[in-house]
Amino acid sequence: MTNARVSNGMDPAVQNALAKLEPADRDLVEGALARAEKTEIELRYLADHDSLTGLLNRRRFREELDHQVAFTARYGGQGAIMIIDIDGLKEVNDRLGHQPGDDLIRGVAEVLRERVRTTDIVARLSGDEFAVLMPQTDTMGALQLGEELRAQVAERAGGGVEAEWATISVGISMFDGRTPSETILVAADRAMYRAKEEGRNRIALFEGLEPDWRDLRPGKTTTARIRDALTRNRLSLATQPIRDLVSGGIDRYELLLRMIGEDGELVPAASFIRVAERSGMIQELDRWVVGEALRLLAERESAGEPVSLHVNISGASITDRSVIDFIERSLDEGDADPARCTFEITQSARIDDYESAAGFADRLTEFGCQVAIDDYGAGFGPFHYLKRIPFDVIKIDGAFIRNMPYNDADQLTVRAIVQIAQGLGKRTIAEFVENEETTQMLREIGVDMAQGYHIGRPVSAEEALAA
């Protein structure tokens, strides 16, 4: 008889052929067949699964989602898609190395496996992004699971990683079989970015204003939407106030870029900024924001109601000579007071060419503008920034602010940053200020300014700065 492990389910013709062989030859052939079968199984597994976590990969997850959407369309009911992003993976990789980063990814994957229902499907979509497909659930069920996952990751997944890095932002999109799979994914992804923009370590639910979500339709890539927004003037600015903690007044605002969707919805920059950086369009977006900022400054100055504006500038623009030349030309040709324009250089993104970055900041200072180091305390080389790049303001990263009243380590960190800034004769701004208790503590510590939802939510620039 042939080997049972091979012959079970084997084609009868193959079994007959094996029966005619000599025992030794038959054993060799059966061994080869068994190895080939094992290899095929392994290859099928690798094609469907992520090698680091063992979860389904993006391609296999899309197949499962397509199947569930079709099932729901035929038999009714509704389901949910959850996009989950690790908030601090980049910081872990930059500061501690990729092994702790991989451990964090595996920790999050383990929490997802343990907490979801047996009918749910979990996948790793990319480096720091996961997805959960929840068939036959309602909005309350999806939100409840999202909150359980968020709490469990914050409690368990970090291991030796600092707590503020071991958190997740969750975006949820519901579906009922009438919406294409790609649209559902884009909606959940957009909700996840909104959760990040609102402070990270939280959940956001996508709630489309149109039943068919036309602005999310498949076939039009994010790159195409950015290009369309630039060519058709479908960009706008929001402003968020920055309060002086000594005087209590507000005379400066941060400008926040928005893209206008097909139905008029304002899409936050977090939803498209990474794509703009990868596609090389970020410099064009930065130039547009700078131009609008200088126009607004000139209008307020002319109306006798001057304000100061903060403009975010990307790492790619910092090392692009054409951007600094554009700023110089715009200042020369316009009526804006450069002293009222502060350029924020994000410190959470690595800038490899420090000489170019320092030169960029030097040029801005020569023009009479101010420079702020954004997200200070996160990312790569914070003290190197202070030494190499001239600046006027330090914006303290929100990770140290959100829970500061209840976290001694955060309080010590903020005090240390304030002492450094005061010793250098610079001013400080605290981000993500969400309550009066935090505001009062910041005032006592000596922070100069505060920004966050407690101070004021973003509103249209035209509305806030109407002359």
Side-chain angles (χ1 to χ4, degrees):
M1 292 180 64
T2 58
N3 190 324
R5 65 180 180 178
V6 176
S7 61
N8 288 342
M10 183 183 291
D11 187 287
V14 176
Q15 293 190 43
N16 291 335
L18 285 173
K20 297 176 182 179
L21 296 175
E22 294 294 328
D25 294 334
R26 186 164 61 244
D27 288 343
L28 288 174
V29 173
E30 288 178 344
L33 289 172
R35 289 192 295 273
E37 182 180 15
K38 180 181 178 182
T39 300
E40 182 181 359
I41 293 171
E42 291 173 347
L43 289 174
R44 281 202 302 267
Y45 180 87
L46 292 173
D48 291 340
H49 293 77
D50 169 59
S51 59
L52 180 63
T53 64
L55 299 176
L56 294 184
N57 58 24
R58 178 182 288 272
R59 182 194 63 79
R60 188 72 181 90
F61 183 81
R62 278 299 305 273
E63 292 178 358
E64 294 289 343
L65 176 59
D66 290 342
H67 173 78
Q68 188 58 41
V69 169
F71 180 90
T72 304
R74 182 171 183 178
Y75 297 105
Q78 65 175 340
I81 282 289
M82 195 179 294
I83 299 295
I84 299 163
D85 189 87
I86 302 176
D87 292 324
L89 183 60
K90 183 182 184 302
E91 286 85 350
V92 172
N93 286 334
D94 283 349
R95 293 190 177 189
L96 305 179
H98 286 277
Q99 186 56 54
D102 288 348
D103 292 342
L104 178 56
I105 291 170
R106 282 189 286 261
V108 171
E110 189 61 30
V111 169
L112 298 184
R113 279 196 195 91
E114 292 180 0
R115 301 301 298 183
V116 301
R117 305 173 303 177
T118 56
T119 55
D120 296 337
I121 296 167
V122 184
R124 182 186 178 205
L125 302 185
S126 63
D128 57 0
E129 195 171 77
F130 297 82
V132 177
L133 169 60
M134 302 178 66
Q136 300 303 313
T137 191
D138 57 14
T139 302
M140 187 59 67
L143 289 171
Q144 182 177 345
L145 177 61
E147 178 56 34
E148 290 178 3
L149 295 175
R150 187 202 63 77
Q152 283 294 307
V153 167
E155 179 181 343
R156 296 174 43 203
V161 173
E162 281 85 344
E164 66 267 23
W165 294 340
T167 62
I168 57 175
S169 294
V170 182
I172 297 173
S173 173
M174 306 301 298
F175 64 88
D176 58 8
R178 295 180 295 174
T179 308
S181 298
E182 181 65 23
T183 301
I184 300 165
L185 283 169
V186 172
D189 195 59
R190 179 175 295 181
M192 181 271 291
Y193 277 114
R194 191 172 82 242
K196 280 188 173 294
E197 187 179 60
E198 292 177 353
R200 307 195 300 183
N201 191 25
R202 60 190 65 200
I203 301 167
L205 176 68
F206 181 86
E207 298 176 294
L209 300 178
E210 295 287 341
D212 57 354
W213 300 342
R214 288 173 295 178
D215 63 314
L216 301 178
R217 63 185 181 275
K220 191 172 186 181
T221 65
T222 303
T223 301
R225 292 191 186 98
I226 297 171
R227 176 55 59 194
D228 183 65
L230 283 164
T231 56
R232 296 174 56 197
N233 196 28
R234 300 185 66 86
L235 294 169
S236 70
L237 290 173
T239 62
Q240 188 170 29
I242 301 172
R243 183 183 298 280
D244 189 302
L245 291 179
V246 177
S247 69
I250 294 175
D251 65 353
R252 65 173 65 209
Y253 301 81
E254 180 179 356
L255 293 178
L256 305 171
L257 180 62
R258 300 289 186 263
M259 186 165 61
I260 304 173
E262 293 295 330
D263 63 354
E265 180 189 2
L266 295 179
V267 182
S271 298
F272 59 87
I273 208 71
R274 288 184 183 178
V275 176
E277 290 172 341
R278 291 196 300 267
S279 62
M281 288 190 284
I282 189 64
Q283 292 95 328
E284 195 169 351
L285 289 174
D286 282 348
R287 284 192 291 268
W288 184 89
V289 174
V290 169
E292 288 297 295
L294 297 181
R295 178 184 66 80
L296 290 168
L297 285 172
E299 287 181 358
R300 289 298 298 258
E301 186 78 26
S302 176
E305 298 179 353
V307 297
S308 296
L309 297 179
H310 284 231
V311 177
N312 291 285
I313 204 80
S314 71
S317 292
I318 288 170
T319 55
D320 188 330
R321 183 179 178 83
S322 69
V323 175
I324 193 68
D325 289 343
F326 173 82
I327 295 172
E328 181 178 20
R329 185 169 62 254
S330 298
L331 286 168
D332 287 342
E333 296 174 355
D335 297 321
D337 180 358
R340 292 191 173 277
C341 190
T342 299
F343 288 88
E344 296 192 2
I345 299 175
T346 179
Q347 192 268 313
S348 60
R350 182 193 299 255
I351 299 176
D352 294 320
D353 189 348
Y354 275 99
E355 293 302 324
S356 295
F360 185 92
D362 278 331
R363 292 283 300 279
L364 291 176
T365 302
E366 291 172 5
F367 301 158
C369 301
Q370 292 199 327
V371 176
I373 297 181
D374 196 11
D375 301 323
Y376 188 79
F380 180 78
F383 292 106
H384 201 53
Y385 261 70
L386 301 186
K387 181 178 180 180
R388 299 291 297 277
I389 298 178
F391 68 97
D392 303 281
V393 180
I394 292 178
K395 292 191 77 173
I396 305 170
D397 186 69
F400 303 111
I401 305 299
R402 282 193 300 269
N403 300 312
M404 190 182 70
Y406 325 108
N407 188 302
D408 291 341
D410 287 346
Q411 293 175 31
L412 289 171
T413 302
V414 173
R415 290 182 188 277
I417 293 174
V418 169
Q419 289 176 1
I420 292 171
Q422 291 175 343
L424 295 172
K426 311 299 181 182
R427 304 189 75 194
T428 51
I429 301 175
E431 300 180 294
F432 297 125
V433 178
E434 298 181 350
N435 53 63
E436 182 59 30
E437 184 179 7
T438 301
T439 304
Q440 183 60 35
M441 182 172 288
L442 291 169
R443 188 179 289 112
E444 293 171 357
I445 289 175
V447 174
D448 298 298
M449 292 169 279
Q451 178 181 0
Y453 280 10
H454 180 67
I455 306 301
R457 290 175 176 265
V459 298
S460 164
E462 294 296 339
E463 176 186 340
L465 304 177

